Amino acid sequence: MKSILIIEDEKAIAELERDYLESYGFNVHIEGRGDTGLQKALDGEYDLIILDVMLPKVDGFEICRQIRQASNIPVLMVTSKKEDIDKIRGLGLGADDYMTKPFSPSELVARVKAHLARYDRLTADKTKRGEHIRIRGLFIDKPSRRVMIHENEAMLTSKEYELLLLLASHPNRVFEKEELFERIWGLDSNGDAATVTVHIRRLREKIEHDPSNPQYIETIWGVGYRFKV
Amino acid sequence: MKSILIIEDEKAIAELERDYLESYGFNVHIEGRGDTGLQKALDGEYDLIILDVMLPKVDGFEICRQIRQASNIPVLMVTSKKEDIDKIRGLGLGADDYMTKPFSPSELVARVKAHLARYDRLTADKTKRGEHIRIRGLFIDKPSRRVMIHENEAMLTSKEYELLLLLASHPNRVFEKEELFERIWGLDSNGDAATVTVHIRRLREKIEHDPSNPQYIETIWGVGYRFKV
DNA sequence: ACCGTTTCTTACAAAATTATTACGTTTGGA
DNA sequence: TCCAAACGTAATAATTTTGTAAGAAACGGT
């Protein structure tokens, strides 16, 4: 779940925003002052910050500048004065968006979603080409050895991961059980290929919606398995 | 110099945009049709695309979708129909911004600049720059080699600091124990990787709230460790 | 539809890996 | 030089993963 920090001294506005955002499944925290807000913002625990311009102690411009020193997370500035907009732009603070009060809550949610999506898109991009595999609802990130199945992380053991990676790296190719065993367990290993069956089963348990009717790893009778695409 | 592609069938509008953008030092190219525009867009020679929704041959929605398959460059959609805005959002095309005609040229330039700046900001290599790292409640200051954990300084020893820095410099990446040992102790070192285990333990003792349920440094069974983010 | 073969599925025990603690040695600063 | 902190090693405990076996189910050819 994404977390949003609202730095806003008008309690009524802040709570309205919070209620709306929470109803869309966001995790929301409110800070009423500039100084404490800045501290929270720099904690790095939030995915997006909604920042009022006029604040006690430290104003929104300064907070935005300081956030940008430390991170690139989306900052959405809010103001009631139209002339602030030019100032935000002119100062080159690096705010991602700005809205003038009053604004509709649905407009706020739409923008928040858009910014979060873009941020994910652009920062996920640093995973260079070939460092991850995406096939249907399955996502394999090699550097982190993580596997996501429809947004949820599948906690695979070492052997399960290697098995999946090998299969998914060669979509549709059929691997004999013996080959799988040799490539993952090693040529010298003394076990037998029945082990593969059990591991395939355990893997399916974790990545398939219905392990008995697998969508990803298909059994090729009398031969072995393949990753279906 | 940044290059901008305008895909727009109304010549007058396109040329107005072009003149204005050029006066701000941008390199501008105009395409009047959807199909040729898409081709140009996929060429990868532009830094930003201004995209009209209603176009001959292929419409703006489709172009946007296809651009997003291939890259993350900023796409600014333009339309004269207000209801298109909701459509752009609803479809989740990944457009970065949208403007309704008529709009002021200075507004256009301001947005273009903002999107280009953000894109540069987010795609710049993260690990290179920065004297410090901030992830969740953890703060690592490289010049002073100090580590703060939720406002409190953690007194790390040399090896502990190097371990943490290496891990935190590559968030989520899994390091094998052997690699950690080699990179911190040196290739020539005669010890073994079990040492890493003990140091990880000591490090956790200092930075984790509950060292037995680590929030930062995760164990990857059978492989090594990684800094979780 | 039957039968031999292959795979699925489950449960349990063995094996491997990491966590944790303790202790002796080394290092660097006072 | 002395002392305290840092470090490496080893032994043990705790935990997770893995291999094996055995009965059930599914398949394919006849």
Side-chain angles (χ1 to χ4, degrees), chain A residues 2-31:
Chain A
K2 298 285 187 182
S3 294
I4 295 172
L5 175 64
I6 297 175
I7 308 179
E8 165 71 71
D9 62 332
E10 289 178 67
K11 213 172 173 187
I13 293 180
E15 288 176 352
L16 176 68
E17 293 172 0
R18 182 193 58 199
D19 292 348
Y20 220 82
L21 288 165
E22 282 182 345
S23 76
Y24 278 86
F26 295 107
N27 196 350
V28 181
H29 180 83
I30 296 175
E31 281 292 333

Side-chain angles (χ1 to χ4, degrees), chain A residues 42-43 72 96 118 121 143, chain B residues 72 96 118 134 136 174:
Chain A
L42 294 178
D43 256 7
N72 287 315
D96 289 85
R118 169 172 34 214
R121 187 154 51 72
Chain B
N72 287 314
D96 290 85
R118 171 177 27 219
R134 198 191 293 276
R136 300 219 301 281
V174 175

Side-chain angles (χ1 to χ4, degrees), chain A residues 23-228:
Chain A
S23 76
Y24 278 86
F26 295 107
N27 196 350
V28 181
H29 180 83
I30 296 175
E31 281 292 333
R33 291 172 27 175
D35 52 349
T36 54
L38 176 57
Q39 210 166 16
K40 280 275 175 195
L42 294 178
D43 256 7
E45 287 174 24
Y46 298 95
D47 300 298
L48 182 145
I49 293 167
I50 297 172
L51 180 57
D52 190 30
V53 169
M54 214 171 345
L55 285 169
K57 305 283 174 189
V58 185
D59 76 13
F61 298 120
E62 181 57 23
I63 292 176
C64 184
R65 182 173 17 251
Q66 292 211 33
I67 290 172
R68 272 292 166 273
Q69 302 281 322
S71 101
N72 287 315
I73 66 165
V75 174
L76 214 160
M77 295 193 78
V78 170
T79 179
S80 40
K81 287 191 292 184
K82 271 211 158 177
E83 52 274 32
D84 281 343
I85 298 292
D86 295 324
K87 202 171 167 191
I88 293 169
R89 277 189 194 147
L91 289 172
L93 295 172
D96 289 85
D97 207 348
Y98 26 80
M99 303 182 73
T100 45
K101 299 180 201 175
F103 48 78
S104 78
S106 64
E107 173 84 8
L108 176 70
V109 169
R111 296 201 183 205
V112 164
K113 279 187 175 175
H115 284 287
L116 287 172
R118 169 172 34 214
Y119 186 75
D120 283 348
R121 187 154 51 72
L122 290 175
T123 54
D125 187 54
K126 72 181 180 310
T127 58
K128 300 176 204 92
R129 273 172 85 80
E131 299 222 320
H132 56 78
I133 295 172
R134 192 195 298 276
I135 302 175
R136 301 217 300 281
L138 190 78
F139 180 85
I140 304 174
D141 185 57
K142 296 186 198 176
S144 68
R145 295 177 69 101
R146 284 199 297 188
V147 174
M148 307 294 286
I149 180 80
H150 293 302
E151 319 303 317
N152 305 312
E153 183 168 2
M155 304 303 294
L156 304 187
T157 69
S158 185
K159 288 280 188 292
E160 286 159 6
Y161 175 82
E162 288 174 44
L163 208 42
L164 176 62
L165 182 60
L166 177 56
L167 290 167
S169 298
H170 305 274
N172 284 329
R173 159 160 181 212
V174 178
F175 287 87
E176 295 182 15
K177 278 211 290 286
E178 287 70 23
E179 183 178 0
L180 289 173
F181 187 78
E182 284 183 4
R183 291 182 65 157
I184 290 173
W185 277 261
L187 291 153
D188 52 334
S189 195
N190 55 353
D192 82 10
T195 300
V196 176
T197 313
V198 175
H199 278 268
I200 289 283
R201 161 65 186 167
R202 288 177 180 149
L203 179 53
R204 281 175 173 162
E205 198 77 47
K206 292 178 182 175
I207 66 168
E208 299 282 2
H209 173 62
D210 174 7
S212 299
N213 290 69
Q215 302 302 302
Y216 295 110
I217 297 175
E218 190 179 16
T219 300
I220 309 300
W221 238 82
V223 187
Y225 302 92
R226 74 163 186 182
F227 192 97
K228 184 168 52 177

Side-chain angles (χ1 to χ4, degrees), chain B residues 122-183:
Chain B
L122 289 175
T123 53
D125 191 343
K126 267 192 175 155
T127 53
K128 268 186 205 163
R129 86 191 182 317
E131 301 274 286
H132 50 78
I133 295 172
R134 198 191 293 276
I135 302 175
R136 300 219 301 281
L138 191 78
F139 179 85
I140 303 174
D141 186 57
K142 297 185 198 175
S144 67
R145 293 174 70 98
R146 291 209 304 176
V147 174
M148 308 293 287
I149 179 79
H150 287 116
E151 322 303 323
N152 307 312
E153 182 167 4
M155 304 304 295
L156 303 188
T157 70
S158 174
K159 289 281 187 290
E160 286 159 7
Y161 175 81
E162 287 175 45
L163 253 182
L164 177 61
L165 181 61
L166 178 55
L167 289 167
S169 297
H170 306 273
N172 281 331
R173 143 136 200 233
V174 175
F175 287 87
E176 296 183 12
K177 278 211 290 287
E178 287 69 24
E179 184 178 358
L180 290 173
F181 187 77
E182 284 183 4
R183 291 182 65 158

Side-chain angles (χ1 to χ4, degrees), chain B residues 3 41 44 66 68-69 79 94 96 99 103-104 113 115 117 125 127 132 146 149 156 175 192 197 199 208 211 224 227:
Chain B
S3 294
Q66 293 211 32
R68 272 292 166 272
Q69 301 282 321
T79 178
D96 290 85
M99 303 181 73
F103 48 78
S104 78
K113 279 186 175 177
H115 284 287
D125 191 343
T127 53
H132 50 78
R146 291 209 304 176
I149 179 79
L156 303 188
F175 287 87
D192 80 5
T197 312
H199 279 267
E208 299 282 1
F227 192 96

